[in-house]
């Protein structure tokens, strides 16, 4: 049996060809595409995570093609992911992190929802007087609110800021310049342009695109023709000189006013010192006068008391003398006076002399005066 040749199978007995060959080939090809897309997505994620900007060198595809082919994609921090399927914007919004999508069918785009600064450059405009000037750069700090991402992108697309910031800035700047002169735009009201632009942008955004929030606007100094710039520079120099002169005059006036205030203060101080010294002298004089009045009152009281005492003593002595002037006492005093005389007269007329009434009265008066004098001296 080993040497027997195999018998050919009659054509009518051969098995029919397999009908699943085409589906198997399609499955293998689809798996290959999936593996390739996943590999590309993985490489893109690695490059993005390492912040190496060489994706255009390694993979010769644009970001749109990569987003279309990738299954796994990453939404960076500060962004949200939005998706289109067949050109229609989906309501699905994803947040930072890794997410999956259908390759070739669903397109993905990250949209920033944190603060971002849009720079609008080289903005020409004509002033009220017909002078052409150019704003080199205007920066608009804005933010797209998360809850309005779908509505904003549905109405204005991913590049919504071109409509409401870039183009709008051009329009508002030209409107502003056309209603102001060059001197106002360049100097007079230049400090107000920031707020006016911010308010103008925010008003229209609030009305038509409420998801866009204008935080601030920074406007750089416009570029003007050189001849006009030199004239403005000369004007500014002259204005500076005038301001310096005015300030110098203010300084001189301030110094004069300060000297005047110092002189007034010194005079007031001297006047206050003199007033205080005068009041002190007056108080001293008043105190001395009161002291003198008290001394006078004390002296007057002493003299009055002394006079009253002398008067009382004299009255009492008079009363005592009056009580002493009795006939017996007078006779005693008369006899004592005669006894003190060293001369004694004898004769017939002695009794007449002695008992002469006039001589006796004089004698008694003299004796009374002597007695009073002795009482006084005592």
């Amino acid at each position: 049996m080993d040497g027997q040749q195999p018998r050919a199978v009659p054509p009518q007995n051969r098995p029919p060809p397999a009908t699943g060959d085409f589906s198997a080939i399609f499955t293998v090809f689809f798996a290959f595409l999936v593996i390739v897309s996943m590999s590309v997505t993985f490489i893109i994620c690695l490059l993005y995570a390492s912040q190496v900007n060489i994706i255009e060198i390694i993979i010769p595809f644009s970001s749109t093609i990569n987003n279309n082919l990738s299954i796994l994609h990453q939404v960076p921090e500060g962004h949200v992911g939005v998706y289109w399927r067949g050109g229609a914007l989906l309501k699905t919004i994803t947040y930072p992190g890794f997410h999956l999508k259908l390759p070739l069918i669903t397109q993905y785009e990250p949209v920033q929802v944190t603060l971002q600064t849009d720079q609008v450059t080289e903005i020409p405009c004509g002033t009220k007087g017909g002078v052409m000037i150019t704003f080199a750069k205007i920066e608009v700090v804005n933010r797209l609110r998360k809850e309005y991402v779908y509505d904003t992108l549905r109405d204005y697309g991913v590049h919504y800021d071109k409509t409401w910031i870039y183009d709008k800035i051009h329009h508002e700047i030209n409107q502003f310049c056309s209603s102001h002169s060059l001197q106002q735009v360049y100097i007079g009201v230049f400090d107000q342009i920031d707020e006016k632009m911010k308010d103008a942008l925010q008003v229209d955004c609030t009305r038509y695109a409420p998801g866009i929030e204008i935080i601030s606007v920074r406007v750089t100094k416009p570029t003007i023709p050189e001849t006009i710039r030199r004239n403005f520079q000369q004007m500014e120099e002259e204005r500076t000189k005038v301001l310096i002169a005015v300030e110098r005059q203010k300084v001189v006036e301030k110094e004069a006013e300060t000297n005047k205030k110092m002189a007034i203060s010194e005079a007031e101080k001297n006047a206050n010192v003199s007033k205080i010294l005068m009041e002190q002298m007056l108080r001293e004089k008043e105190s001395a006068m009161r002291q003198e009045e008290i001394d006078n009152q004390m002296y007057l009281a002493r003299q009055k008391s002394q006079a009253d005492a002398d008067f009382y003593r004299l009255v009492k002595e008079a009363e005592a003398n009056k009580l002493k002037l009795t006939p017996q006492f007078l006779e005693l005093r008369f006899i004592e006076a005669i006894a003190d005389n060293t001369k004694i007269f004898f004769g017939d007329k002695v009794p007449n002399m002695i008992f002469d009434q006039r001589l006796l009265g004089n004698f008694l008066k003299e004796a009374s005066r002597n007695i009073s004098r002795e009482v006084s001296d005592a």
Side-chain angles (χ1 to χ4, degrees):
M1 292 181 62
D2 294 338
Q4 293 179 358
Q5 296 293 330
R7 291 181 301 174
V9 179
Q12 63 273 11
N13 295 329
R14 291 180 182 175
T19 59
D21 292 343
F22 181 76
S23 61
I25 293 173
F26 180 80
T27 303
V28 171
F29 179 76
F30 182 78
F32 176 77
L33 288 179
V34 171
I35 293 172
V36 170
S37 63
M38 291 181 65
S39 301
V40 171
T41 304
F42 181 74
I43 294 174
I44 293 173
C45 293
L46 289 179
L47 292 175
Y48 188 89
S50 60
Q51 298 182 354
V52 178
N53 193 17
I54 58 173
I55 187 171
E56 295 179 356
I57 299 175
I58 297 177
I59 304 174
F61 297 107
S62 64
S63 60
T64 303
I65 297 176
N66 291 332
N67 290 336
N68 291 337
L69 295 178
S70 64
I71 296 178
L72 180 66
H73 62 281
Q74 181 190 30
V75 178
E77 190 65 43
H79 296 67
V80 294
V82 292
Y83 303 89
W84 288 263
R85 185 174 297 163
L89 178 65
L90 303 179
K91 292 186 176 181
T92 303
I93 303 295
T94 57
Y95 295 97
F98 287 102
H99 301 278
L100 297 175
K101 71 178 184 64
L102 296 176
L104 300 176
I105 298 177
T106 304
Q107 292 79 37
Y108 149 77
E109 190 71 29
V111 177
Q112 186 174 354
V113 291
T114 56
L115 293 180
Q116 59 180 344
T117 301
D118 294 330
Q119 294 186 357
V120 187
T121 59
E122 299 301 325
I123 308 171
C125 67
T127 62
K128 187 177 181 181
V131 180
M132 290 299 298
I133 62 176
T134 302
F135 287 88
K137 182 176 65 175
I138 296 180
E139 296 179 345
V140 181
V141 181
N142 61 91
R143 178 175 58 191
L144 178 62
R145 300 177 183 175
K146 293 181 181 180
E147 59 271 20
Y148 288 95
V149 169
Y150 174 78
D151 296 334
T152 303
L153 268 64
R154 180 196 60 194
D155 296 336
Y156 307 107
V158 177
H159 302 291
Y160 61 90
D161 50 354
K162 182 180 185 304
T163 302
W164 292 111
I165 295 179
Y166 289 90
D167 297 342
K168 188 66 176 175
I169 279 291
H170 280 267
H171 172 73
E172 294 297 335
I173 283 293
N174 279 272
Q175 289 289 329
F176 180 83
C177 291
S178 62
S179 60
H180 293 82
S181 64
L182 177 62
Q183 194 275 339
Q184 291 175 325
V185 175
Y186 194 71
I187 298 175
V189 295
F190 177 75
D191 57 337
Q192 304 175 13
I193 298 179
D194 297 347
E195 290 298 324
K196 289 183 179 294
M197 293 297 104
K198 176 181 179 297
D199 295 339
L201 292 176
Q202 189 62 68
V203 167
D204 287 343
C205 287
T206 301
R207 182 178 181 182
Y208 298 104
I212 303 174
E213 180 182 3
I214 306 299
I215 306 301
S216 64
V217 177
R218 296 187 292 268
V219 180
T220 58
K221 205 75 170 176
T223 303
I224 62 177
E226 184 62 23
T227 56
I228 300 177
R229 189 191 66 79
R230 283 198 300 267
N231 292 335
F232 274 119
Q233 187 175 0
Q234 293 177 359
M235 291 173 56
E236 193 65 25
E237 290 176 356
E238 295 297 328
R239 185 181 293 108
T240 303
K241 292 179 181 179
V242 173
L243 292 177
I244 291 174
V246 172
E247 292 299 326
R248 185 180 294 111
Q249 182 179 359
K250 288 182 180 179
V251 170
V252 173
E253 292 177 355
K254 200 67 177 180
E255 289 178 352
E257 184 179 357
T258 302
N259 294 332
K260 180 180 177 181
K261 288 183 178 180
M262 291 177 62
I264 294 174
S265 178
E266 187 69 19
E268 289 179 351
K269 183 184 72 174
N270 295 332
N272 292 332
V273 172
S274 300
K275 183 179 178 181
I276 292 172
L277 294 176
M278 184 63 68
E279 291 177 353
Q280 183 179 359
M281 292 176 61
L282 289 175
R283 286 194 295 268
E284 291 177 355
K285 293 293 184 181
E286 290 176 356
S287 178
M289 184 176 66
R290 287 194 296 269
Q291 185 66 32
E292 187 174 356
E293 289 178 356
I294 293 173
D295 293 341
N296 292 336
Q297 291 176 0
M298 293 175 62
Y299 177 76
L300 182 62
R302 284 197 302 269
Q303 293 298 323
K304 185 177 181 181
S305 299
Q306 185 67 31
D308 292 340
D310 292 342
F311 177 76
Y312 182 77
R313 180 175 59 78
L314 292 176
V315 169
K316 291 301 180 181
E317 288 180 355
E319 292 177 357
N321 291 334
K322 184 177 180 181
L323 294 176
K324 286 182 180 181
L325 295 178
T326 59
Q328 295 82 2
F329 180 74
L330 295 175
E331 184 179 357
L332 175 61
R333 298 293 293 181
F334 177 74
I335 294 172
E336 290 177 350
I338 293 177
D340 291 336
N341 291 331
T342 57
K343 293 180 179 182
I344 300 175
F345 297 90
F346 296 95
D348 295 336
K349 294 185 179 180
V350 173
N352 293 333
M353 179 190 67
I354 295 173
F355 294 103
D356 187 17
Q357 295 295 325
R358 186 175 56 186
L359 294 174
L360 183 59
N362 292 333
F363 174 77
L364 292 176
K365 288 181 181 179
E366 184 67 22
S368 177
R369 283 196 294 273
N370 292 333
I371 291 171
S372 298
R373 189 180 297 110
E374 290 177 358
V375 172
S376 308
D377 295 338

